[in-house]
Amino acid sequence: MRIIMHVDFDSFYASLEERRKPEIKGMPVVICMYSGRSAESGAVATASYSARALGIRAGMPIAAAKIKAGGESVFLPADMEYYRAESGKIMDILEGYAGSFQQASIDEAYLDVSSCGSYGAAEKIAEEIKKAVSESFSITCSIGIGPSRLVAKMASGHKKPDGLTIVEEKGVKKFIFPLPVRKLHGVGGKTAAILESAGVKTAEDIAGCSLKKLEELLGKNRARLLKEKAEGVDDSPVAGQAAKQISRIATLKADTGRFDDIYERLSQLAAEMHRKIEKNGIKFRTVSVIIISPDLEMRTRSRTIQATGRLEDIVESSRQLLKEFVREGMVARRAGIRVSNLVSGKERGLHRFL
DNA sequence: CGACGTGTAAC
DNA sequence: CCTTTTACACGTCG
């Protein structure tokens, strides 16, 4: 039987800024992604716990957060380079405690600690990790331990910040069943509304629901995946996975339908993306252009070509795709670029044999 | 089946 | 007033 740990750094960006600027410690700290179109346009990336107490949440417009904040609070621009560098150092420490390891995002990781033998031993490791991370990096984290990634993740979310929650196999149903459907990973507002209007309110309701009925509500695959989650079933291994797509998107200074304006920005994004592609030795077959209109609707156009890693191929494909958008009279608030159908650099492709 | 466009979700 | 990046599912078309 496996023992999996999920480690989640508490309000990570805000915690790093408080460490850098001790004078703001304890104040409501709001880390912002500024879009650059006006002084305050943008969204909240992370709010410290004292900022959350004021009702400030990730994803909220900065202007809305400022209204909630009132007086004594600190709004800072996100410094992603710094956060990524610090994250990398912490992840290196965590990896040392795991049989297998998977970084799930900049501030989350899964550790397979099965080889420690017992939940008691896993708890000791978790305490050691908290101590090491706190001493070396001055941040707290919340840790969940369970028999699967699914349960470990839900456990880490149970008590925050600085929490440690253990859910053993025998306690899984008791832990999951009372949860409102919205709390299950993969259930957002839309899905929750569908389920609730069908009288399905808790994880236990999902578990008790026939697969057929659930499929009518959500479709075949989502129904199966959600039922497994509600029942606490998850066999997915802790293992890194190759990326399947790489994208870059940016907000434009002003809404525009002009080819030249959008093309200039797409070219910059393509160059940025290409550095990452080079670094990873990746090739791709599909290039997409993403346009977000002033009413925030997303549109994409894509084109599949011969496997390539060249910047010129990204730029040329995106030029053609953007032409289509402009011809259709599309106006852009934001514009971006994506490569997918990734092929690892060494693979030459099956066409050699066909 | 592969390609394409959209929707949902999480961080 | 409304960021950024990634993943997955689903419908449609040829």
Side-chain angles (χ1 to χ4, degrees), chain A residues 102-300:
Chain A
Q102 178 180 4
Q103 180 173 346
S105 73
I106 194 167
D107 65 353
E108 279 178 67
Y110 292 94
L111 287 68
D112 189 324
V113 295
S114 303
S115 62
C116 79
S118 72
Y119 278 92
E123 180 173 12
K124 287 242 162 47
I125 294 173
E127 278 159 2
E128 222 179 295
I129 288 174
K130 278 169 163 289
K131 186 158 176 276
V133 170
S134 154
E135 283 176 359
S136 302
F137 298 94
S138 306
I139 68 162
T140 62
C141 52
S142 297
I143 299 184
I145 300 174
S148 62
R149 297 195 335 158
L150 171 75
V151 175
K153 164 90 179 166
M154 288 194 300
S156 73
H158 182 71
K159 183 171 184 292
K160 285 181 170 187
D162 202 16
L164 172 53
T165 304
I166 301 173
V167 179
E168 296 187 34
E169 178 77 67
K170 60 176 166 37
V172 167
K173 283 197 161 58
K174 197 169 109 178
F175 183 68
I176 295 178
F177 274 9
L179 296 175
V181 292
R182 182 64 181 79
K183 291 286 177 188
L184 290 173
H185 191 256
V187 177
K190 305 272 185 179
T191 308
I194 293 170
L195 292 170
E196 278 158 18
S197 64
V200 179
K201 296 193 165 55
T202 66
E204 184 166 20
D205 292 342
I206 294 173
C209 200
S210 74
L211 191 59
K212 189 169 177 299
K213 164 89 179 195
L214 223 46
E215 281 175 0
E216 283 165 19
L217 295 172
L218 305 175
K220 204 166 166 30
N221 257 298
R222 306 200 59 197
R224 179 178 50 80
L225 292 170
L226 185 58
K227 198 150 196 300
E228 286 179 2
K229 279 179 188 162
E231 291 163 353
V233 174
D234 171 29
D235 291 326
S236 63
V238 175
Q241 315 166 78
K244 298 186 175 162
Q245 57 178 235
I246 298 172
S247 63
R248 282 288 178 278
I249 189 160
T251 300
L252 304 172
K253 284 271 181 213
D255 297 351
T256 177
R258 283 192 58 216
F259 177 88
D260 289 355
D261 294 343
I262 307 174
Y263 181 69
E264 186 186 357
R265 202 62 146 83
L266 287 183
S267 303
Q268 295 167 2
L269 294 171
E272 280 177 38
M273 203 167 64
H274 186 252
R275 281 197 283 279
K276 181 163 175 177
I277 287 169
E278 291 268 82
K279 195 166 63 143
N280 297 323
I282 286 169
K283 293 190 175 189
F284 55 87
R285 293 215 304 124
T286 303
V287 177
S288 308
V289 166
I290 303 157
I291 297 289
I292 289 133
S293 60
D295 62 358
L296 303 180
E297 287 299 303
M298 180 164 18
R299 291 284 177 279
T300 64

Side-chain angles (χ1 to χ4, degrees), chain A residues 27-101:
Chain A
M27 293 170 67
V29 175
V30 184
I31 310 302
C32 303
M33 304 289 310
Y34 287 101
S35 67
R37 52 172 42 201
S38 74
E40 295 203 343
S41 67
V44 173
T46 305
S48 69
Y49 277 82
S50 55
R52 290 182 203 189
L54 302 175
I56 298 170
R57 296 283 180 278
M60 186 176 271
I62 293 166
K66 293 219 161 155
I67 292 168
K68 298 242 177 209
E72 288 276 293
S73 51
V74 185
F75 285 73
L76 297 171
D79 180 355
M80 295 310 299
E81 243 180 272
Y82 176 61
Y83 308 152
R84 257 192 291 275
E86 292 304 299
S87 168
K89 290 189 238 169
I90 304 173
M91 293 294 172
D92 286 346
I93 302 290
L94 297 188
E95 188 162 10
Y97 289 92
S100 48
F101 177 82

